[in-house]
Amino acid sequence: MATQTDTLRELFVTGLVNAHAVEKQALSIMTPQLERIENYPEVADRLRAHIEETNGQIARLDELLEGLGTSSSTLKDIGLSMSGSMAAITHSVAGDEIVKNSFANYAFEHFEIAAYKSLLVMAEDGGFAQATPLLTQSLNEEQAMAEWIDEHLPVVTRRYAALYAAGGSSAAKV
């Protein structure tokens, strides 16, 4: 029979594996966006920086999983990466891709924020204090990205509207 400690460990490991897959999904969403940005250099710069942060988050999750004697789930990583790629493709055919991507990125950042907050609770309750600094670093990065998107959404929206007015949807390329 599983003890409460075993149950908390199992839940924590599952949460870490899921977060790893979510970060892989984030890469599959951001990378195609970066390849298509023309008129929004500040968005491209921030996406590049966040892709680097995301790779660091994946490395931290790998470190935590290894420390617990396990690893990420290739199946979950592939599944969520594929769904992220499909979302990116869906937005790429829209004339207002930059605006839709901004909405989706903002929502996705908050999903990741919630995941890291939940992992921090499980780390505390399960006695995995060694995980707290690494998870906190990832949480802070996700919060900073969400804040950046929030602050820049008006600029992106106004620039999109101005480009659209100047030349229709084809002039509003991301």
Side-chain angles (χ1 to χ4, degrees), residues 65-145:
L65 287 165
E66 186 178 306
L68 292 165
T70 189
S71 63
S72 62
S73 166
T74 302
L75 184 60
K76 282 185 182 183
D77 285 354
I78 291 171
L80 286 180
S81 289
M82 286 175 48
S83 72
S85 295
M86 291 305 297
I89 289 169
T90 302
H91 290 175
S92 72
V93 298
D96 59 349
E97 177 183 4
I98 187 68
V99 178
K100 283 187 171 73
N101 284 343
S102 295
F103 299 164
N105 292 346
Y106 187 72
F108 200 82
E109 291 305 321
H110 282 85
F111 181 85
E112 291 173 302
I113 289 166
Y116 282 111
K117 285 183 175 185
S118 179
L119 284 169
L120 282 163
V121 169
M122 286 190 271
E124 181 181 342
D125 292 355
F128 306 107
Q130 77 282 3
T132 300
L134 299 178
L135 294 172
T136 299
Q137 182 178 353
S138 295
L139 173 62
N140 291 340
E141 291 167 354
E142 300 299 358
Q143 289 172 324
M145 183 63 176

Side-chain angles (χ1 to χ4, degrees), residues 1-7:
M1 180 172 216
T3 66
Q4 183 174 357
T5 302
D6 293 336
T7 301

Side-chain angles (χ1 to χ4, degrees), residues 17-31:
V17 168
N18 290 341
H20 191 279
V22 166
E23 294 301 352
K24 290 285 193 170
Q25 182 181 22
L27 288 176
S28 73
I29 291 169
M30 289 184 291
T31 303

